[in-house]
Amino acid sequence: YGGYAALWASIRKSERHRCAISWAGPTDFAHMLRYDARSFRPRRYVREFRERVRGEDGDVNAVSPLRHAERMRVPTLVA
């Protein structure tokens, strides 16, 4: 969670930070859901996982740092 939190901090509160580092933090939930679907058996677990990640409004892009990268105003290392 730390890498994800660092990315969101650099997006939402850039004025409070000098830099951000995300080590293996999730950046694109839509891609992650497609990629991770292959590792679930039986398939119903994929649906349950997607529903939990999407949340109530169903828009994973709203919480994906990759979709808000243009708002980052501090140097950011993603590893």
Side-chain angles (χ1 to χ4, degrees):
Y1 178 76
Y4 178 74
L7 292 173
W8 267 116
S10 70
I11 291 168
R12 297 191 61 188
K13 301 286 184 182
S14 293
E15 67 279 358
R16 291 186 180 182
H17 306 279
R18 292 186 184 186
C19 66
I21 299 172
S22 173
W23 188 271
T27 56
D28 186 358
F29 285 109
H31 177 74
M32 185 179 81
L33 288 172
R34 285 190 307 273
Y35 180 82
D36 288 347
R38 292 180 281 180
S39 61
F40 285 93
R41 299 287 183 262
R43 300 294 292 170
R44 77 169 190 265
Y45 295 133
V46 175
R47 289 188 299 275
E48 292 172 8
F49 178 69
R50 284 183 179 159
E51 293 302 315
R52 274 189 281 157
V53 171
R54 285 191 177 129
E56 293 177 8
D57 62 0
D59 184 16
V60 294
N61 290 328
V63 294
S64 295
L66 180 68
R67 306 296 179 201
H68 301 279
E70 71 279 354
R71 294 172 44 197
M72 290 181 181
R73 301 287 181 248
V74 297
T76 305
L77 171 65
V78 178

